Amino acid sequence: MHFKTIGRRSLLALGAAALAASFAGTAAAQPSMPLRVILPVSAGSGVDVIVRSAQVALTKALDGQPVVIENQPGAGGITGTQNLVKAAPDGNTISVVSNNHSVNPSVFKKLPYDSLADITPITIVGGSPFVLVVNPNKVSAKNAKELQALMKARPGEFNYGSSGNGTIIHLAGEMFVDEAGVKARHIPYKGMGPMITDIVGGQVEMGVGAVAAVQGQIKSGALRPIGVMGKERVPSLPDVPTIAEQGFPGVDVAGWFAVIGPKGLPPAQVKRLHDAFATAFNDPDVKAGFAKRDDVLILNTPEEAGKFLKSEQERYARLVKKANVTLE
């Protein structure tokens, strides 16, 4: 009897332990719901490279929550953003958008969402400087004043490329043309890569590109930098002044990328995601990659991000009106 009682208790204990182990194993085999990061841009673009560089650090900052990056390009970023605004505001779907998010309301006649009311700002992660470049075999000018004089002396003879109609690269080129009081024909391309290829090849005389995208061509002499489009010079091009420095104070544009969620994202989720991105992008390896590309960290608060997005949308609306850019 004694041995039978002990045996029965042992069996019960073993059964309970096995059941607990089974539940633990099931929990371990089923990771938490992943964080979907919708990128409304193609793979290999500037925003894509930046986000993927921090993917591992972001998972770590989220206590191991898997991070799944989904490229959903199309319609100037509208396709991916539309899917973001339709997502449940549970903190498991976010997007990283760029300047085009604030440009689109002005260049498209109708959007399937409100760029400000249908999102929750989380943070502006950082920025990427732009530079105005020319083909040195087609354009003799070495600075912005010389380029202005050359374009005034030969009106209508110059073309400038862009990464597409209504994109920030298009508006950046238009910003210089407007500030300099010159005329040039806009040639849109399907992306920055083809545009740069044609400037190097001489099919178009000039264009605005991200510094990281044209560094190699500038170093090789295939492209000549005329000036940085933002407020400050960049470390990799210390001898290249800003366009503003050269007498065109109205030229001030740089790329930026912002983390946003769908409308109604609870404050606790906003804080969790903001803190995770701040931690991930302050990772030493991620910061080193930023410095190499001349990107600048911002990582502002959700409130500051919201004000920034509103001001950018208003600023681009004025520029789009001047440039008379409209898309269906």
Side-chain angles (χ1 to χ4, degrees):
M1 184 69 180
H2 178 70
F3 288 105
K4 286 181 181 179
T5 303
I6 293 175
R8 192 180 297 116
R9 289 175 178 170
S10 298
L11 285 172
L12 288 171
L14 286 170
L19 187 62
S22 174
F23 278 118
T26 301
Q30 295 178 347
S32 61
M33 184 178 290
L35 175 69
R36 290 176 67 213
V37 182
I38 296 174
L39 301 185
V41 294
S42 58
S45 64
V47 172
D48 180 72
V49 170
I50 286 163
V51 176
R52 289 184 188 277
S53 74
Q55 187 174 7
V56 173
L58 186 57
T59 294
K60 184 178 178 182
L62 290 166
D63 297 323
Q65 182 182 15
V67 175
V68 177
I69 296 172
E70 299 180 11
N71 293 94
Q72 298 183 13
I78 294 173
T79 302
T81 305
Q82 186 174 11
N83 289 332
L84 179 277
V85 301
K86 288 179 178 178
D90 57 7
N92 291 314
T93 304
I94 59 172
S95 182
V96 180
V97 297
S98 61
N99 303 61
N100 288 346
H101 180 81
S102 296
V103 173
N104 286 339
S106 299
V107 299
F108 285 93
K109 290 183 178 179
K110 189 176 181 180
L111 289 179
Y113 53 83
D114 187 308
S115 295
L116 295 175
D118 290 339
I119 67 159
T120 300
I122 296 171
T123 187
I124 309 298
V125 175
S128 298
F130 293 154
V131 60
L132 176 62
V133 294
V134 299
N135 180 305
N137 298 318
K138 302 275 288 188
V139 180
S140 60
K142 293 180 175 59
N143 56 55
K145 285 291 188 182
E146 289 182 6
L147 181 58
Q148 180 192 40
L150 194 61
M151 293 176 75
K152 284 189 172 182
R154 294 160 52 190
E157 292 185 28
F158 288 83
N159 300 320
Y160 73 93
S162 83
S163 54
N165 275 316
T167 62
I168 187 59
I169 296 298
H170 175 192
L171 295 184
E174 193 63 36
M175 188 180 287
F176 172 75
V177 168
D178 179 69
E179 185 76 3
V182 295
K183 292 183 179 181
R185 188 162 62 119
H186 171 230
I187 309 295
Y189 288 84
K190 291 183 178 180
M192 195 181 298
M195 175 199 76
I196 294 168
T197 297
D198 271 13
I199 299 176
V200 171
Q203 282 75 25
V204 290
E205 285 80 9
M206 61 185 184
V208 174
V211 170
V214 295
Q215 278 177 336
Q217 291 87 347
I218 289 174
K219 287 180 180 178
S220 70
L223 293 176
R224 177 186 297 135
I226 294 297
V228 175
M229 299 292 288
K231 291 181 178 179
E232 299 177 356
R233 298 191 187 196
V234 297
S236 68
L237 303 171
D239 298 325
V240 179
T242 67
I243 299 292
E245 279 182 81
Q246 299 179 62
F248 304 94
V251 175
D252 176 19
V253 62
W256 50 257
F257 37 100
V259 183
I260 61 173
K263 178 183 178 181
L265 194 62
Q269 291 292 348
V270 173
K271 185 180 188 310
R272 179 181 76 92
L273 291 164
H274 175 275
D275 292 352
F277 270 87
T279 299
F281 278 89
N282 273 300
D283 176 88
D285 290 337
V286 177
K287 288 183 78 171
F290 254 64
K292 187 176 181 180
R293 292 186 300 270
D294 281 314
D295 292 331
V296 179
L297 278 174
I298 298 173
L299 295 168
N300 58 8
T301 67
E303 293 75 21
E304 290 167 339
K307 290 178 182 178
F308 176 82
L309 291 173
K310 185 175 185 295
S311 67
E312 284 289 274
Q313 188 162 310
E314 293 169 349
R315 184 165 79 108
Y316 293 138
R318 293 190 293 269
L319 185 58
V320 166
K321 188 175 181 180
K322 269 189 176 183
N324 194 28
V325 181
T326 305
L327 300 175
E328 295 295 335

